[in-house]
Amino acid sequence: MEPLREVRDGYLITLNIGTPPQEVQVYMDTGSDLTWVPCGNLSFDCIDCYDLKNNNLKSSSIFSPLQSSSSFRASCASSFCAEIHSSDNPFDPCAIAGCSVSMLLKSTCIRPCPSFAYTYGEGGLVSGILTRDILKARTRDVPRFSFGCVTSTYHEPIGIAGFGRGLLSLPSQLGFLEKGFSHCFLPFKFVNNPNISSPLILGASALSINLTESLQFTPMLNTPMYPNSYYIGLESITIGTNITPTQVPLTLRQFDSQGNGGMLVDSGTTYTHLPNPLYSQLLTTLQSTITYPRATETESRTGFDLCYKVPCPNNNLTSLENDVMMVFPSITFNFLNNATLLLPQGNSFYAMSAPSDGSVVQCLLFQNMEDGDYGPAGVFGSFQQQNVKVVYDLEKERIGFQAMDCVLEAASHGLNQGS
């Protein structure tokens, strides 16, 4: 079990790397494999990074390989080197360094692993050196843990722990990939609260029968194009008490001949993305049932598509949160294999600021999928996973969901110091 600390746009896990151990906080990301940390002190260069400019990146979150007696650069004969250079990446400097991918796969490149460039779906880019060092975890140490020692990034101010299904991922290197893991994300209101953490459970204990019997499981969808990612199929969406669910396009539950489609489960993406025309249908259906005045100024400022001014008696947001399902229609995801997930309170509309003058502006925190026909058709983001226990059963290739109070779940694991 590992604690996850919530920040503005994700969940941080603490890694202890090196000799002596250096503590580095990185995002937990189920949408990628590579674990990387910012390296160096003054040398770490983050281009177009708002968080870094505002001094939100602490020096304690930067790893210094020079301060670790057990740190060394990975060899190009390593399977991890072949893994990080085997993707079709136009920014990859591997060939420039004189080592083709075929040479790496045959382990015939007699030099250190060439520097890499690793891209993310939303335009992020990191470049650095594949490094090996000891990783000290609660249950076991990984003496030759492979990770990216990154000195230059674009849009990526904080390191990432990759929780995908590939060789480089953190669960894979810890030896838990044959079993699985689970998490229960705390809601937004606990952002930067040092007294409580979201529980992350790795290995067989996350899959015990008494913990999973009440979950609804949907099968993982496998595509050769993205074999290391977690895809599931969305069949329909139910809005409020509508008897007839809104049907979704076939692309959200199956892949095309190129391997595009499906719904990606991604803790590294904050909000759920849905493709058009489904997204527009969702907006239209919600608008037809909501009678509050629109807050168009907030929509323009935030980029969210549906914002409303909701009465908030005595400016008491807590009482409104308890009645949010009465305020807005519920949203239910219907996945393959008859698995349903009624989104918990607060996972669809969220207050943009503190109440004033007896009202509060709440916006729908869903977004339009703008990537067209390439990649996933939709993304199930971390905000909609809050107060939901999510179990990745990698042995049976399925993902389970159960709405629950993650504060109580945190307390049961001793992660709520205020309880």
Side-chain angles (χ1 to χ4, degrees), residues 345-357:
Q345 297 180 10
N347 282 29
S348 51
F349 286 86
Y350 192 78
M352 290 292 100
S353 60
S356 64
D357 300 325

Side-chain angles (χ1 to χ4, degrees), residues 270-272 343 347-348 365-366 380-386 388:
T270 308
Y271 307 115
T272 292
L343 292 185
N347 282 29
S348 51
L365 300 195
F366 280 71
F380 189 34
S382 64
F383 179 75
Q384 276 68 40
Q385 296 177 46
Q386 294 177 346
V388 176

Side-chain angles (χ1 to χ4, degrees), residues 87-158:
S87 61
D88 182 16
N89 186 342
F91 297 100
D92 189 15
C94 185
I96 299 174
C99 291
S100 67
V101 171
S102 61
M103 291 174 68
L104 291 175
L105 294 173
K106 296 174 184 175
S107 299
T108 56
C109 180
I110 50 172
R111 61 180 65 189
C113 185
S115 59
F116 66 85
Y118 194 90
T119 56
Y120 292 91
E122 295 184 340
L125 170 69
V126 302
S127 63
I129 294 170
L130 192 64
T131 302
R132 308 194 76 168
D133 207 334
I134 185 170
L135 171 70
K136 292 186 174 292
R138 290 182 179 228
T139 55
R140 65 187 69 176
D141 292 347
V142 182
R144 294 163 62 87
F145 181 70
S146 291
F147 62 97
C149 196
V150 167
T151 55
S152 179
T153 73
Y154 177 72
H155 277 322
E156 300 290 342
I158 301 176

